[in-house]
Amino acid sequence: MMTKGNFSTLSFGWLTLLVGFGAPLFSAAYTIQSRTIVRKVGPLIAMTWAMLFTTILCNLYYPFWKVSLEWSFLTILSVLWVAIMGHIVAYTLYIVSASKILPTITGVLETVEPLTAIVLSYFFFSQKMNGFMLAGAAMVLIAVVLLGFSRPKDKAN
């Protein structure tokens, strides 16, 4: 969003800053909040309602019928694959795992996600690595190492 695909120019609009600062906050919030909701209603019900609300909000912003696609059998299969495997299954597994492990471990695993995406895109899609990607990967690794060395503080009784 900041480079628009060109690293020689940067654009610091209000939307860029809002997304940049808001994404980690929302990520932490839904990780922490989901534990409580999953314990009360279960992961399947929690994900069903989350997907319903998200779909409604997204369609208020940009309705699905305005998307111009050439619908074919392969397009329908692709959309179903992304919806089912890329969203429903993935987020359900995420919420179930987040409710079963400590929030600090969830945070560390969530931090490694961009690094995994870079490595997988390099090996499977021949994505070229540049200095910015390597610097970002190094920062993620340093953060994970620092978090790994930190010890939880003992709670006073």
Side-chain angles (χ1 to χ4, degrees):
M1 288 178 67
M2 289 178 55
T3 63
K4 297 185 175 92
N6 183 1
F7 282 108
S8 64
T9 61
L10 292 177
S11 172
F12 290 99
W14 66 270
L15 181 60
T16 304
L17 293 174
L18 181 67
V19 170
F21 289 118
L25 296 175
F26 279 108
S27 178
Y30 78 70
T31 299
I32 294 168
Q33 184 61 34
S34 67
R35 295 170 61 94
T36 306
I37 294 171
V38 168
R39 285 186 187 129
K40 288 182 182 178
V41 298
L44 189 58
I45 301 295
M47 281 310 303
T48 303
W49 282 104
M51 291 289 176
L52 177 65
F53 288 139
T54 303
T55 302
I56 290 169
L57 289 174
C58 288
N59 277 290
L60 289 175
Y61 179 73
Y62 195 84
F64 71 91
W65 57 85
K66 288 188 176 181
V67 176
S68 59
L69 286 176
E70 293 182 28
W71 290 100
S72 67
F73 181 71
L74 187 58
T75 305
I76 293 169
L77 284 178
S78 299
V79 169
L80 287 174
W81 178 262
V82 169
I84 294 169
M85 296 305 291
H87 289 81
I88 296 171
V89 172
Y91 285 119
T92 302
L93 291 174
Y94 173 77
I95 284 186
V96 169
S97 66
S99 68
K100 296 191 180 297
I101 60 177
L102 295 172
T104 52
I105 296 172
T106 304
V108 170
L109 293 175
E110 192 174 272
T111 304
V112 178
E113 182 183 357
L115 180 62
T116 306
I118 290 171
V119 170
L120 291 176
S121 65
Y122 175 78
F123 285 114
F124 290 114
F125 303 117
S126 301
Q127 174 71 39
K128 303 294 182 213
M129 300 289 281
N130 60 28
F132 291 108
M133 291 176 144
L134 292 173
M139 284 190 256
V140 169
L141 284 174
I142 290 168
V144 169
V145 168
L146 291 174
L147 286 170
F149 283 123
S150 66
R151 297 278 181 233
K153 297 179 181 179
D154 292 331
K155 292 182 180 180
N157 290 333

